[in-house]
């Protein structure tokens, strides 16, 4: 009887462990804890709306924020294009409005872009060769190319573009710039999607991405990857995927990627203060180091005393 009780307890433990791992890496749950919750970025007014393409019969939009008194005919400043999170099936442009508005005030042209998002049932109807994650990357590549193609109109330097995103958006941003495939045939052939820096907020790199080379970030990392600043909470269950990517970058000889940690914080911690301000200030200083901004951050440091810690 005693051995049977131990056997049953072991089976229960294994079942619970399996359920926990499934919950951690379920694609639909990547951001569900965070994005239904209002953040301070929700109070930032929308930027100017542009349609960068139509996909699946729907317009795909980005909002762009411009620096005060910006004259595109006279100034060609660096540009930033950010991609929101939401488990590859949700989320919206409000997530990075605060960031874009801030960097516009600091002298850049900043965009927050949407992309095609599919729920589980919709993804099952995709044509062969398409998946929910693949179509996100294709649209993100189109968005970056549109941003470059309209550089003169926007007053940006197409050779000084920064990209990034949160959670699923971070995954999408990295693949849109490093994966040579997944292009939209309608995109201009003479424009690439290369960037000069990344701002990545707990990018969601799932272990089971290795089943599809097109969306497996680890297969596309390289020593020459543009400088990146990456933020994670120490309690974020998605950090294990980033840890593998960071180790791969180091093994390739990459020395331009910074990892900053928020002690005790979970996934999407950066959406609310004090961490929203702290990550924004860190991004500002990072862009100054890259020669894309000048001066000191204008966002005040929160008085509550929390700090980001760089992992070396």
């Amino acid at each position: 009887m005693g051995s049977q009780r131990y056997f049953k307890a072991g089976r229960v433990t294994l079942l619970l462990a399996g359920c926990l791992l499934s919950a951690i890496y379920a694609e639909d749950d990547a951001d569900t804890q965070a994005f239904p919750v209002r953040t301070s970025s929700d109070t930032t007014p929308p930027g100017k709306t542009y349609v960068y393409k139509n996909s699946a019969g729907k317009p795909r939009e980005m909002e762009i924020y411009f620096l005060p008194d910006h004259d595109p005919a006279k100034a060609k400043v660096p540009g930033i294009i950010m991609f929101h999170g939401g488990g590859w099936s949700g989320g919206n442009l409000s997530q990075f409005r605060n960031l874009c508005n801030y960097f516009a005030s600091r002298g850049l042209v900043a965009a927050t872009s949407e992309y095609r998002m599919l729920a589980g049932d919709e993804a099952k109807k995709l044509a062969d060769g398409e998946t929910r994650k693949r179509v996100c990357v294709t649209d993100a590549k189109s968005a970056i190319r549109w941003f470059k193609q309209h550089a003169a109109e926007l007053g940006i330097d197409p050779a000084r573009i920064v990209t990034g995103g949160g959670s699923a958006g971070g995954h999408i941003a990295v693949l849109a710039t490093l994966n040579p495939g997944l292009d939209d045939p309608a995109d201009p052939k003479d424009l690439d999607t290369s960037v000069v820096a990344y701002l990545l907020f707990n990018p969601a790199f799932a272990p089971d991405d290795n089943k599809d080379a097109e969306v497996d970030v680890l297969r596309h990392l390289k020593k020459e990857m543009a400088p990146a600043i990456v933020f994670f909470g120490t309690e974020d269950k998605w950090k294990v995927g980033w840890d593998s990517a960071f180790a791969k970058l180091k093994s390739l000889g990459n020395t331009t990627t910074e990892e900053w940690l928020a002690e005790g914080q979970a996934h999407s911690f950066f959406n609310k203060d004090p961490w929203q301000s702290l990550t924004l200030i860190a991004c500002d200083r990072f862009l100054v180091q890259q020669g894309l901004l000048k001066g000191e951050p204008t966002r005040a440091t929160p008085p509550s005393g929390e700090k980001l810690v760089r992992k070396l």
Side-chain angles (χ1 to χ4, degrees), residues 37 52 63 96 128 137 155 199 201 237 240 246 291 296 300:
V37 178
Y52 69 87
E63 292 177 359
F96 287 114
D128 290 343
V137 176
L199 310 179
F201 300 82
K237 301 299 190 297
V240 64
F246 198 24
E296 292 295 319

Side-chain angles (χ1 to χ4, degrees), residues 14 23 30 45 57 105 113 118 155-156 166 175 188 190 196 232 259 261 264 296:
L14 287 172
S105 75
S113 179
L118 300 173
I156 60 176
L175 284 170
D190 58 335
V196 296
F232 263 96
E259 178 182 356
L261 301 177
E296 292 295 319

Side-chain angles (χ1 to χ4, degrees), residues 104-236:
S105 75
R106 288 281 283 127
L108 308 183
V109 171
T112 173
S113 179
E114 66 169 357
Y115 46 87
R116 188 179 179 189
M117 296 176 289
L118 300 173
D121 291 343
E122 294 175 305
K124 293 176 182 177
K125 300 176 184 178
L126 287 169
D128 290 343
E130 290 188 324
T131 68
R132 178 174 50 179
K133 291 186 179 182
R134 287 188 179 194
V135 299
C136 296
V137 176
T138 297
D139 277 0
K141 297 186 82 167
S142 297
I144 295 170
R145 287 193 170 103
W146 185 96
F147 204 45
K148 290 186 175 186
Q149 185 180 27
H150 292 81
E153 171 190 345
L154 302 174
I156 60 176
D157 180 352
R160 292 189 294 164
I161 303 299
V162 178
T163 194
S167 193
H171 171 262
I172 292 163
V174 172
L175 284 170
T177 52
L178 295 183
N179 183 350
L182 298 182
D183 290 315
D184 185 331
D187 284 353
K189 304 295 190 294
D190 58 335
L191 293 174
D192 64 22
T193 60
S194 62
V195 294
V196 296
Y198 296 90
L199 310 179
L200 300 173
F201 300 82
N202 49 234
F205 302 158
D208 63 359
D209 283 345
N210 60 13
K211 299 174 184 177
D212 181 359
E214 295 285 9
V215 299
D216 183 9
V217 166
L218 268 67
R219 303 195 196 194
H220 299 284
L221 297 175
K222 53 187 178 181
K223 177 182 178 180
E224 299 80 14
M225 178 177 165
I229 186 167
V230 185
F231 303 99
F232 263 96
T234 58
E235 301 304 311
D236 189 341

Side-chain angles (χ1 to χ4, degrees), residues 103 199 201 229 231 279-288:
F103 281 119
L199 310 179
F201 300 82
I229 186 167
F231 303 99
T279 53
L280 197 57
I281 291 168
C283 285
D284 190 313
R285 290 174 174 152
F286 171 76
L287 293 177
V288 169

Side-chain angles (χ1 to χ4, degrees), residues 251-302:
S251 72
L252 293 172
N254 175 277
T255 59
T256 58
T257 300
E258 301 181 10
E259 178 182 356
W260 291 82
L261 301 177
E263 185 65 35
Q265 296 302 303
H267 197 64
S268 297
F269 73 99
F270 64 91
N271 280 320
K272 295 188 290 186
D273 269 335
W275 299 107
Q276 185 180 71
S277 290
L278 290 171
T279 53
L280 197 57
I281 291 168
C283 285
D284 190 313
R285 290 174 174 152
F286 171 76
L287 293 177
V288 169
Q289 292 171 3
Q290 307 311 315
L292 299 168
L293 280 180
K294 294 181 180 179
E296 292 295 319
T298 56
R299 177 64 65 92
T301 300

